């Protein structure tokens, strides 16, 4: 059951009947077996297994679920649950991918009807899905995440550097009134996006001296600012550094080494059919209650779409503890094989990036100016396209699970990403439970280095990167 803190549930009854051999059997559900999310109904996978006499197993990679029958017939929800493949090799793309709620899997009820042999009929007492010797009575739970509540339209790339002529109201998020602030007179901002949120024209702008991103009402910001060239700012220096690194097909990997012992922890949330590393996130929040702390989340769009309750929980964690979470882009589609995002045209790459940013804004999160390529694989063309869209490609120098294992990284430059942790390191772990070894290694390292500061990416790159 999804925690009531992060979701509001409305219950009503649905009756599902399946045509199977033998006498009619009524299976009374002890708990709800169907979820309605964004007007789509999803059936619990364990309920489907009960009804057809199947067994579901998660693949080792966490990228698929196989549903097998005793007679040898099987189906696989493949590629993260966005398609259905059967034992004959037939493949069907699904309009709605599997949902993962509290580690339980839910399949799109209507889309799977033909494959698994059930039909829908309206009856006085609810719905009948039947051919119908066997049936299950279940409740629908209407999943309405607290923070997925914004309408986003007309998101587009712009570029304008401005200096504020007076204080200007800004938002760090759209979650509540505590997230309002005043950007001070004289501050310099890079306006990167125009967008309508809930019918109001906004811009996403990043402060050129701190690299922190904010949401401004477009008309107010334009009235209270004047254009400048932006040369000499930290933004301009980082942009130059990114241009230089892109020549060698690299992103930013670390901050300066000369500062006091400090690292930046970045957490990739690639799509996965596993529940996330909540012990890890809770340990970060617990530490932050004493020391404070900042963590950069690199979000894939598919993860957000398939894990809505967990996305709500992450936002709650950042709001109700001293753990500061920033939300950056990690592509929407997140290919898992070579050549990763290099397989996309530049137009497709741009559209994919904006789709992630749109999702973040729908959740009330202001997208940062940082982007991480899946697999840390990127050619010069795609790096330059990201930079031209006013985001900084961020790699790492310490991929925690693969330190000293450069040959296991997808990138031909893996030796640069698998170095031992040093002061100034950007550390990479996966919070989606697909690479638990990195989480365990982080926990061990942190226990051995409790006094090292946990800096945000913005702070780490405030030092001169090299």
């Amino acid at each position: 059951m999804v925690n009531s803190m992060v979701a509001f549930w409305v219950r009503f009854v649905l009756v599902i009947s399946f045509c199977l051999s033998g006498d009619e059997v009524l299976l009374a559900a002890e708990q709800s077996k169907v979820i309605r999310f964004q007007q789509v109904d999803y059936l619990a996978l364990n309920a489907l297994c009960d009804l057809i006499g199947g067994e579901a197993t998660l693949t080792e990679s966490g990228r698929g679920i196989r549903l097998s029958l005793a007679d040898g017939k099987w189906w696989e929800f493949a590629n993260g649950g966005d398609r259905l493949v059967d034992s004959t090799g037939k493949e069907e793309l699904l309009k709605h991918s599997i949902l993962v709620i509290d580690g339980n899997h839910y399949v799109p009820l209507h889309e799977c009807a033909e494959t698994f042999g059930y039909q829908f009929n309206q009856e006085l007492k609810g719905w009948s899905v039947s051919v119908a010797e066997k049936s299950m009575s279940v409740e629908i739970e209407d999943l309405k995440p607290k923070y997925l509540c914004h309408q986003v339209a007309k998101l587009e790339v712009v570029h304008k550097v401005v200096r504020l002529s007076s204080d200007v109201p800004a938002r760090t998020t759209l979650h509540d009134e505590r997230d309002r602030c005043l950007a001070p007179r004289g501050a310099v901002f890079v306006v990167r996006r125009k967008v309508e949120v809930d019918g109001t024209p906004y811009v996403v702008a990043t402060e050129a001296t701190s690299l922190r991103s904010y949401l401004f009402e477009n008309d107010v910001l334009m009235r209270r600012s004047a254009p400048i060239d932006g040369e000499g700012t930290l933004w301009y220096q980082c942009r130059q550094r990114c241009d230089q690194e892109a020549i060698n097909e690299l992103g930013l990997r670390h901050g300066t080494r000369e500062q006091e012992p400090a690292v930046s922890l970045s957490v990739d949330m690639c799509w996965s059919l596993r529940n996330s590393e909540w012990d890890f996130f809770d340990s970060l929040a617990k530490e932050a209650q004493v020391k404070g702390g900042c963590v950069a989340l690199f979000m894939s769009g598919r993860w957000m779409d398939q894990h809505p309750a967990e996305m709500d929980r992450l936002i709650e964690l950042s709001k109700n503890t001293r753990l500061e979470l920033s939300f950056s882009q990690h592509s929407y589609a997140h290919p898992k094989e070579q050549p990763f995002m290099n397989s996309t045209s530049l137009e497709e790459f741009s559209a994919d990036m904006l789709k992630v940013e749109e999702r973040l804004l729908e959740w009330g999160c202001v997208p940062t100016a940082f982007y991480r390529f899946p697999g840390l694989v990127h050619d010069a063309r795609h790096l330059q396209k990201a930079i031209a869209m006013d985001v900084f490609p961020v790699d790492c120098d310490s991929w925690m699970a693969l330190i000293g294992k450069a040959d296991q990284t997808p990138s031909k430059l893996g030796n640069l990403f698998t170095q031992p942790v040093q002061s100034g390191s950007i550390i990479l772990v996966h919070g989606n439970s697909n690479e638990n070894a990195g989480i365990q290694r982080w926990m061990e390292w942190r226990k051995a280095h409790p006094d090292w500061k946990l800096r945000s990416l913005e702070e780490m790159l405030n030092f001169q990167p090299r």
Side-chain angles (χ1 to χ4, degrees), residues 130-312:
S130 62
V131 226
E133 281 87 10
K134 192 173 184 180
S135 60
M136 175 181 284
S137 180
V138 298
E139 289 185 344
I140 288 183
E141 294 184 346
D142 196 4
L143 174 59
K144 296 183 177 180
K146 179 178 178 180
Y147 297 105
L148 183 58
C149 58
H150 298 286
Q151 299 296 315
V152 178
K154 300 181 181 178
L155 178 63
E156 62 179 290
V157 177
V158 296
H159 177 83
K160 188 175 186 180
V161 184
V162 299
R163 187 188 302 277
L164 304 190
S165 55
S166 63
D167 295 351
V168 181
R171 301 292 300 266
T172 56
T173 78
L174 290 170
H175 298 144
D176 61 38
E177 294 303 308
R178 295 177 295 173
D179 301 322
R180 294 184 182 273
C181 60
L182 277 179
R185 178 177 180 268
V188 175
F189 284 86
V190 180
V191 179
R192 304 187 292 114
R193 303 288 185 267
K194 290 177 65 175
V195 64
E196 284 189 8
V197 182
D198 300 328
T200 299
Y202 284 96
V203 297
V204 177
T206 301
E207 190 177 10
T209 56
S210 72
L211 303 183
R212 291 185 174 272
S213 294
Y214 300 84
L215 205 60
F216 293 89
E217 289 192 25
N218 180 59
D219 293 345
V220 177
L221 182 66
M222 293 302 107
R223 287 198 310 269
R224 301 186 189 181
S225 65
I228 62 171
D229 59 26
E231 290 191 20
T233 62
L234 176 64
W235 175 277
Y236 185 79
Q237 294 167 6
C238 281
R239 172 71 181 259
Q240 287 184 312
R241 184 60 185 174
C242 286
D243 285 334
Q244 294 167 3
E245 295 285 9
I247 295 171
N248 298 314
E249 299 189 348
L250 288 167
L252 300 174
R253 300 186 303 287
H254 57 78
T256 187
R257 302 297 193 193
E258 285 75 33
Q259 302 297 319
E260 61 184 322
V263 295
S264 182
L265 178 62
S266 61
V267 183
D268 286 5
M269 301 302 289
C270 327
W271 55 259
S272 170
L273 291 173
R274 293 188 171 102
N275 210 35
S276 298
E277 298 275 8
W278 285 107
D279 288 346
F280 161 71
F281 285 117
D282 290 341
S283 72
L284 292 174
K286 183 177 179 180
E287 176 186 320
Q289 291 299 92
V290 178
K291 302 178 181 179
C294 304
V295 175
L297 300 180
F298 283 89
M299 310 300 300
S300 72
R302 279 190 59 186
W303 186 91
M304 289 187 279
D305 285 354
Q306 292 182 258
H307 297 253
E310 291 187 88
M311 183 65 179
D312 237 358

Side-chain angles (χ1 to χ4, degrees), residues 83 99 299 360 380 441-442 460:
R83 63 199 62 196
L99 291 185
M299 310 300 300
L360 287 170
R441 185 172 285 188
W442 158 260
M460 189 61 70

Side-chain angles (χ1 to χ4, degrees), residues 407-433:
D407 60 325
Q408 296 184 24
T409 71
S411 172
K412 63 185 179 182
L413 301 171
N415 62 304
L416 298 177
F417 309 142
T418 55
Q419 299 296 309
V421 177
Q422 309 170 56
S423 183
S425 283
I426 296 175
I427 294 172
L428 185 158
V429 298
H430 286 80
N432 61 355
S433 295

Side-chain angles (χ1 to χ4, degrees), residues 432-449:
N432 61 355
S433 295
N434 274 8
E435 197 177 63
N436 182 258
I439 296 294
Q440 295 306 314
R441 185 172 285 188
W442 158 260
M443 303 285 268
E444 293 166 5
W445 182 92
R446 190 57 172 157
K447 185 176 180 179
H449 301 81

